[in-house]
Amino acid sequence: QVQLVESGGGLVQPGGSLRLSCAASGITFSTYNMGWYRQLPGKQRELVAIINSGGITNYPDSVKGRFTISRDNAKNTVYLQMNSLKTEDTAVYYCNANGATRASLRNTYWGQGTQVSVSS
């Protein structure tokens, strides 16, 4: 049974920081590309950060320099460190896993989401 369980969301003031965690089970974690997506109110889900199975990261301009994705393969966990948070970062954040081997390329999984609210 595949599970992605997010934690770490909450309410913070503008300029503050949060660290999100996503614990995976039921997959060979080290062979999966991992990512964070978010869904802003009234908007479609959008990419926040990706780290591939080799540790290479990518970010959109909206979060580059403020957010950092990392992974700990020994703990089957991916993290998103969010600094200098802005009100426009308010969204539900989702953890995503995509297979990166020949046998798992068609596999994709999503967490349940965690709310991040940035407000004074």
Side-chain angles (χ1 to χ4, degrees), residues 7-28:
S7 61
L11 175 64
V12 295
Q13 295 182 352
S17 297
L18 280 176
R19 185 176 179 85
L20 306 183
S21 299
C22 172
S25 60
I27 62 172
T28 306

Side-chain angles (χ1 to χ4, degrees), residues 29 31-38 46-64 67-71 78-81 93-100 108-110:
F29 182 82
T31 70
Y32 273 68
N33 299 331
M34 302 299 299
W36 288 94
Y37 291 72
R38 68 187 182 188
E46 65 182 28
L47 175 69
V48 176
I50 283 181
I51 182 166
N52 73 8
S53 60
I56 306 300
T57 60
N58 282 285
Y59 308 88
D61 289 341
S62 58
V63 308
K64 192 172 297 183
F67 292 9
T68 303
I69 189 171
S70 61
R71 65 192 297 161
V78 62
Y79 305 94
L80 184 68
Q81 178 67 47
Y93 284 71
Y94 296 90
C95 180
N96 169 258
N98 283 289
T108 184
Y109 304 101
W110 293 91

Side-chain angles (χ1 to χ4, degrees), residues 37-47 91-92:
Y37 291 72
R38 68 187 182 188
Q39 189 162 14
L40 279 66
K43 301 295 185 65
Q44 290 187 319
R45 196 170 298 184
E46 65 182 28
L47 175 69
V92 178

Side-chain angles (χ1 to χ4, degrees), residues 13-18 65-67 82-87 89 118:
Q13 295 182 352
S17 297
L18 280 176
R66 300 189 298 121
F67 292 9
M82 303 184 293
N83 299 327
S84 302
L85 283 162
K86 307 174 180 180
T87 56
D89 295 318
V118 185

